[in-house]
């Protein structure tokens, strides 16, 4: 009997193989670049605790005394089992360190993208439908300003206003959601606003362009000539057909935030992946850098997969095959 698989299963199988190939390529590139960085990471990690005995012990425990090819094969074998090595700085398992930082990054990413969508969707659609008027021009100018302002400067301005001047919110730090929900929310607002405002400026421009393109299409003009109400014309015929590029830019922005907004996390002392990578680079903590880059690449691939699946849901004309 011939075995028949569902199209979604075939699609997911192909994407899984593709993702594994990409992750392997990322691992090869990152591992190779780490070998080219000048300096001795073990010596730097030990700092004032350096002794010849401690140096040799840490070098042997991390496998840096073996040939490069043997190091790579050993790291690849361990990574498949979920073992990404141990940190040079404190000896903690890299996998555990990453899992500890992931909730902070996920909460910041989800809050930031929610703020961005809440601003960009109505602003982009409204400015497209009122193209050529003063209000639409104001939205274009505001989005251009938002794109031009660096995210760290946006964060400093928000701190100066809401923390220093008004005293409503804390300037930095983090609280776990399970320990202090109110404290978690108060500490989340400013970094999420910073990330969300910058992302909203970018997304508003894409949404406006997508709605303008669909509004000029033939089927929309035909629907307008039939006397449909502006609400039906906008929701069913314009916005719905403009969702594909909106999903694309939303996925890109969400993956970017999940990958770690380094400057924002440093400004707000937010314990996410971006700040972890920043500290690891400063300390030459190679295992943490390699593990974090591998996790960020996996998050990008996961978001891309989810966006592809949403394409088929939003537009039935798109087939996963």
């Amino acid at each position: 009997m011939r075995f028949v698989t569902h199209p979604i299963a075939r699609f997911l199988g192909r994407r899984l193989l593709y993702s594994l190939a990409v992750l392997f390529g990322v691992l090869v590139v990152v591992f190779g670049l780490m070998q080219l960085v000048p300096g001795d990471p073990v010596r730097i990690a030990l700092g004032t605790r350096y002794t010849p005995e401690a140096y040799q012990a840490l070098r042997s425990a991390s496998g840096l005394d073996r040939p490069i090819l043997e190091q790579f094969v050993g790291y690849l074998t361990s990574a498949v089992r979920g073992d990404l090595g141990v940190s040079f700085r404190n000896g903690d398992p890299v996998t555990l360190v990453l899992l500890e930082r992931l909730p902070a990054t996920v909460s910041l990413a989800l809050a930031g993208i929610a703020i961005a969508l809440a601003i960009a969707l109505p602003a982009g659609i409204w400015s497209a439908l009122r193209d050529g008027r003063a209000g639409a021009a104001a939205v274009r100018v505001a989005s251009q300003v938002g794109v031009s302002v660096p995210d760290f400067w946006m964060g400093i301005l928000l701190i100066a206003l809401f923390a220093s001047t008004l005293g409503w919110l804390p300037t930095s730090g983090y609280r776990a959601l399970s320990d202090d929900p109110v404290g978690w929310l108060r500490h989340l607002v400013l970094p999420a606003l910073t990330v969300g405002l910058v992302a909203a400026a970018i997304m508003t421009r894409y949404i406006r362009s997508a709605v303008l393109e669909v509004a000029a299409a033939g089927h929309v003009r035909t629907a307008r000539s039939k006397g449909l109400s502006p609400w039906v014309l906008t929701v069913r015929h314009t916005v719905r057909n403009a969702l594909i590029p909106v999903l694309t830019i939303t996925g890109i922005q969400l993956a970017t935030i999940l990958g770690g907004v380094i400057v924002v996390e440093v400004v707000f002392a937010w314990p996410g992946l971006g700040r972890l990578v920043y500290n690891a680079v400063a300390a030459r903590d190679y295992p943490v850098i390699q593990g974090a880059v591998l996790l960020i690449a996996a998050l990008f691939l996961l978001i891309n997969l989810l966006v592809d699946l949403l394409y088929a849901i939003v537009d039935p004309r798109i087939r996963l095959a």
Side-chain angles (χ1 to χ4, degrees):
M1 187 174 104
R2 188 166 60 91
F3 179 71
V4 179
T5 59
H6 195 277
I8 294 181
R10 292 198 300 269
F11 172 77
L12 292 176
R14 288 195 304 269
R15 289 302 298 266
L16 179 60
L17 293 176
Y18 165 77
S19 300
L20 292 176
V22 171
L23 289 177
F24 178 78
V26 169
L27 185 59
V28 171
V29 171
V30 174
F31 186 87
L33 290 177
M34 291 298 99
Q35 306 303 318
L36 298 176
V37 176
D40 189 338
V42 177
R43 180 67 180 86
I44 295 173
L46 289 174
T48 57
R49 298 174 292 128
Y50 171 81
T51 62
E53 295 78 13
Y55 176 84
Q56 291 299 330
L58 182 56
R59 186 173 176 81
S60 176
S62 58
L64 295 178
D65 57 343
R66 295 179 292 173
I68 293 180
L69 182 58
E70 187 177 341
Q71 291 181 39
F72 176 75
V73 173
Y75 183 79
L76 179 61
T77 304
S78 299
V80 171
R81 300 195 304 265
D83 180 9
L84 300 176
V86 296
S87 170
F88 285 165
R89 288 194 300 169
N90 49 32
D92 292 336
V94 173
T95 304
L96 180 60
V97 173
L98 295 176
L99 291 178
E100 288 177 348
R101 298 296 186 105
L102 193 57
T105 294
V106 171
S107 61
L108 176 60
L110 294 180
I113 204 66
I115 292 173
L117 285 172
I119 297 173
L121 276 176
I125 296 171
W126 184 81
S127 64
L129 297 178
R130 299 178 64 86
D131 188 40
R133 302 184 184 181
V139 171
R140 291 201 305 272
V141 172
S143 64
Q144 184 61 49
V145 172
V147 171
S148 305
V149 174
D151 49 6
F152 73 89
W153 184 246
M154 181 75 73
I156 292 173
L157 291 177
L158 291 176
I159 290 174
L161 175 61
F162 292 103
S164 300
T165 303
L166 300 176
W168 292 351
L169 298 168
T171 58
S172 61
Y174 175 76
R175 296 289 186 275
L177 176 61
S178 57
D179 297 337
D180 184 7
V182 176
W184 169 81
L185 181 60
R186 295 185 72 249
H187 285 81
L188 176 65
V189 171
L190 288 184
L193 266 178
T194 302
V195 171
L197 289 175
V198 174
I202 299 172
M203 294 170 64
T204 298
R205 299 171 65 85
Y206 278 88
I207 294 172
R208 178 180 179 275
S209 299
V211 174
L212 280 175
E213 182 178 354
V214 174
H219 70 277
V220 176
R221 292 198 301 268
T222 301
R224 185 181 295 111
S225 66
K226 292 180 178 180
L228 294 180
S229 66
W231 173 258
V232 174
L233 188 66
T234 300
V235 175
R236 295 186 57 183
H237 295 278
T238 304
V239 174
R240 183 175 180 180
N241 288 283
L243 283 181
I244 295 299
V246 173
L247 284 175
T248 302
I249 188 60
T250 301
I252 292 173
Q253 291 300 314
L254 179 58
T256 300
I257 302 172
L258 281 172
V261 189
I262 296 178
V263 177
V264 173
E265 292 188 358
V266 171
V267 168
F268 289 98
W270 192 261
L273 292 176
R275 189 167 173 228
L276 176 66
V277 172
Y278 173 83
N279 293 331
V281 170
R284 304 283 182 86
D285 197 344
Y286 291 175
V288 173
I289 296 173
Q290 292 175 170
V293 172
L294 196 62
L295 177 59
I296 291 171
L299 291 174
F300 263 88
L301 292 171
L302 177 60
I303 295 298
N304 287 334
L305 174 61
L306 293 177
V307 170
D308 286 344
L309 291 174
L310 287 175
Y311 284 164
I313 296 174
V314 171
D315 191 345
R317 295 171 298 178
I318 297 177
R319 294 293 179 263
L320 296 177

